[in-house]
Amino acid sequence: EAFSHLQQFKGPELKFSRLRKNPAGQRAVLAFLCSASVTSQTAAAVVFHKPFMVVTKYCDLVLEPSFRKAGADFYARGANIATANLLATTMPVLLNRTTWFNFLSLFVRVVRERTPSLFNEWRRSAELIFSYLEHRHRTAADLFAPVFLMHDCHELFEMLTDDELDPLVPAYSVIVNHWGKAIGDSYEVIADESKVLAKGRARLLTLSDPNLKTVSAGYDRRRMEFPLRVSDIIVVDSTACRQVQLADLLCGAIASAAKVRTKGALQSGTFAHDVFQLCFSKELIVDHLWPSHEIDPL
């Protein structure tokens, strides 16, 4: 039934990037989301605010080790979430938007390119920010000290994975954990051969190794059951796999609506508003990483 709304669109592959470009394509996507076959029993998505994900990565890779050295658990009671929200909310004001986003942009480059010269440039920017905030907002200044207190760049680099800033990897764990609980048995994941999921197949399957000790990991409501219940990740050509194409439509529509939402409230009657209304009413979005003004630990 889901495909009945999309039959008029010809081509080797159904892609949201094509359908979004005209009103007819957008109506077809909304009809697909309205379909009785698209429910919380057949579809699920996780939403990532990519700029905020960079802030959370800064917290994980830079702040958490310093908390650990001090004997504090950075993840207990949601302190990591509160800190990320605090940074995202206050730093554009305490500094200015340009200085803050330049600092984060340098951090992204350091993580991706991993050169000593870039690391030193980024460390120098942290020193300048610390000096500026030290006599104005000392507590805020302390959130930059772990950068220039690192012994050298390798202290950071040795913690990084090849896909450190790709949201697909953490989204994978959340989604497969969700379906593992929903299905109650092992199942196969079908992955587009061009995506990070396919390239990281071997590593991701280690999380489903049946020889792993059964454990519930995480904090508070943020818990995950290991081993994950994925029996295999099957890599396919998306042009020949309708399931992957439907996933592209769902995720593309949500990503497009989320991008509009980052710029302000959604206007009733717009494509973005209707996408979110459908997804939330059907409970298709099972988790999210999105900034808020909640800066108290859970």
Side-chain angles (χ1 to χ4, degrees):
E1 185 212 344
F3 278 105
S4 64
H5 308 288
L6 305 160
Q7 292 174 347
Q8 71 269 35
F9 299 97
K10 307 302 180 183
E13 183 177 4
L14 284 169
K15 296 285 289 183
F16 175 76
S17 57
R18 282 181 46 232
L19 296 179
R20 66 176 294 185
K21 293 178 180 178
N22 59 75
Q26 292 182 8
R27 287 194 296 271
V29 171
L30 291 174
F32 158 67
L33 293 176
C34 282
S35 168
S37 60
V38 179
T39 70
S40 59
Q41 283 73 51
T42 62
V46 180
V47 179
F48 278 74
H49 186 290
K50 285 188 176 180
F52 184 61
M53 180 181 174
V54 173
V55 179
T56 64
K57 279 294 180 180
Y58 174 77
C59 290
D60 288 340
L61 295 170
V62 180
L63 299 185
E64 190 279 332
S66 67
F67 273 72
R68 189 169 3 106
K69 288 176 184 176
D73 188 340
F74 189 51
Y75 298 107
R77 299 184 63 247
N80 59 319
I81 300 172
T83 303
N85 282 329
L86 178 67
L87 285 166
T89 300
T90 63
M91 287 307 156
V93 178
L94 297 182
L95 301 171
N96 59 66
R97 292 180 64 86
T98 300
T99 299
W100 172 234
F101 291 130
N102 284 346
F103 175 79
L104 292 178
S105 296
L106 260 179
F107 172 61
V108 169
R109 290 189 62 197
V110 168
V111 171
R112 288 177 174 164
E113 300 177 38
R114 305 180 198 183
T115 64
S117 60
L118 262 180
F119 177 84
N120 290 333
E121 183 181 349
W122 176 59
R123 179 159 59 183
R124 179 57 180 160
S125 72
E127 291 172 344
L128 292 172
I129 290 173
F130 180 88
S131 296
Y132 173 76
L133 292 175
E134 185 176 14
H135 302 295
R136 295 171 175 83
H137 306 280
R138 180 53 196 259
T139 302
D142 288 342
L143 294 172
F144 295 89
V147 178
F148 55 81
L149 291 177
M150 288 183 185
H151 295 105
D152 57 45
C153 60
H154 299 292
E155 191 172 334
L156 173 65
F157 294 170
E158 66 185 12
M159 293 189 291
L160 304 178
T161 61
D162 291 340
D163 44 35
E164 193 67 56
L165 294 175
D166 195 315
L168 188 56
V169 175
Y172 167 85
S173 298
V174 173
I175 285 292
V176 301
N177 183 64
H178 166 79
W179 285 121
K181 291 178 178 178
I183 296 170
D185 201 355
S186 61
Y187 62 97
E188 296 175 338
V189 170
I190 299 173
D192 185 340
E193 63 184 358
S194 68
K195 301 299 184 183
V196 168
L197 205 61
K199 296 173 184 176
R201 176 181 176 277
R203 178 166 59 87
L204 293 172
L205 282 175
T206 62
L207 301 175
S208 303
D209 187 340
N211 294 317
L212 288 176
K213 179 182 178 181
T214 301
V215 64
S216 176
Y219 295 81
D220 310 307
R221 67 174 183 269
R222 302 160 290 147
R223 302 193 69 83
M224 196 167 295
E225 307 297 325
F226 291 96
L228 298 174
R229 294 192 169 188
V230 176
S231 59
D232 198 4
I233 298 175
I234 300 172
V235 178
V236 300
D237 178 355
S238 61
T239 62
C241 183
R242 287 302 201 187
Q243 294 100 314
V244 170
Q245 293 175 33
L246 290 178
D248 176 83
L249 291 184
L250 173 64
C251 294
I254 293 173
S256 174
K259 186 175 182 179
V260 176
R261 179 64 184 85
T262 62
K263 300 174 182 177
L266 298 179
Q267 299 299 312
S268 180
T270 62
F271 177 69
H273 176 275
D274 292 346
V275 166
F276 266 159
Q277 186 175 52
L278 281 167
C279 289
F280 282 120
S281 66
K282 291 191 170 190
E283 299 182 335
L284 304 184
I285 298 175
V286 297
D287 206 347
H288 65 276
L289 183 68
W290 200 270
S292 80
H293 296 307
E294 296 295 327
I295 58 175
D296 291 326
L298 300 176

